[in-house]
Amino acid sequence: MTIQTSHDALDRRYGGLQPAIDLPLTPTIELMLRHRSVRSYQDRPLAPGALEALIAAGQSAATSSNMQAVSVIAVQDAERRGRLSRAASGQAFVAQAPVVLCFVIDQSRHARIGRAIGADLFALPMLDSFIAGISDCAIFAQTVALAAESMGLGTCFVGNLRNDPEFIAQELNLPPQAFVVFGLCVGYERPPETGIRPRLPQSVVLHHETYSDAGEAEDLARYDAVFSAHETAQGRPAATWTGRHRDRFASTVYLAGRDRLRRILAQLGFPLQ
Ligand SMILES: Cc1cc2nc3c(=O)[nH]c(=O)nc-3n(C[C@H](O)[C@H](O)[C@H](O)COP(=O)(O)O)c2cc1C
């Protein structure tokens, strides 16, 4: 699939429900509009220096209070990728991608610094510090993903790396107060390319001045039709987006163990006070 113009990219992003944008789009925005999660990779390594370039891009993102509460573990060893894949519900692409970047909310570094400077960092275990660290991880990782796409690489996040945090901590030799929030697979896509997955219409997402859900039900019905047609075209079941809420939030099957997360986080050194 080749996207010719920004209007084409917008059309695909919204499946025909796109907003009117009377502006030329920048190359960066066009790249963003073309994002797709890639779940099939060639057996081809990244170029030398590519990993370091991606991390430099990620480290350039904003970070809460400049506390930089992120560590990244780059897993390239095939056997370890296989073990990560099995821990992540057996998703094959995790073993296939040449690099799996594991994004760690790393409060262990803060704790070591606290000990070194003789300060009682009593606010570190508080929920707000955790939210700040998780935000840092997400912003860092998305910046890496965008940088990777700008280099012709494909990516896919792996939230399922949270299924078994104790195993992951052992596998990656994590200290206490360090937790893998998600992985990011990076590599060259194996054709055929997947399609651009349509997003909610902006009428549902963008609110002006104050929140409003006026017209939401009608717009969601239109999105359901677009989403379902896209899924069918990709060879997946023709589920509606709203219908998927039942699997996602009316059951814990999807969570594959992540319903235990609060207790496990406390054991790993995140009491979330
Ligand atoms: C934090 C996070 C975790 C994710 N975890 C997984 C995962 O474990 N497996 C997977 O196949 N996709 C995963 N994804 C990818 C989403 O399913 C994907 O972004 C979404 O369906 C939209 O599709 P698109 O990225 O192709 O536009 C994850 C995405 C995010 C942001």
Side-chain angles (χ1 to χ4, degrees), residues 58-101:
Q59 285 190 277
S60 302
T63 150
S64 183
S65 307
N66 198 30
M67 282 297 98
Q68 307 179 60
V70 182
S71 285
V72 184
I73 302 182
V75 175
Q76 304 188 65
D77 177 77
E79 290 185 7
R80 180 165 286 120
R81 283 187 280 131
R83 291 193 290 275
L84 293 184
S85 166
R86 284 191 287 282
S89 302
Q91 296 183 97
F93 68 86
V94 179
Q96 205 181 44
V99 184
V100 183
L101 299 176

Side-chain angles (χ1 to χ4, degrees), residues 13 35-37 39 91 93 156-162 182 195-197 199:
R13 174 53 68 210
H35 158 77
R36 299 168 294 110
S37 289
R39 298 184 179 85
Q91 296 183 97
F93 68 86
C156 189
F157 281 88
V158 191
N160 280 16
L161 279 185
R162 295 191 301 272
F182 43 67
I196 292 175
R197 212 171 203 186
R199 293 293 194 265

Side-chain angles (χ1 to χ4, degrees), residues 41 54 66 89 124 154 204 217 234-235 246:
Y41 294 93
L54 293 176
N66 198 30
S89 302
L124 188 56
V204 174
Q234 294 293 307
R246 190 168 288 111

Side-chain angles (χ1 to χ4, degrees), residues 38 40-47 50 96-98 148 151-155 186-191:
V38 168
S40 185
Y41 294 93
Q42 298 174 32
D43 183 16
R44 176 180 168 194
L46 270 55
Q96 205 181 44
M151 295 165 70
L153 293 158
T155 66
V186 183
Y188 291 95
E189 183 172 22
R190 181 187 297 275

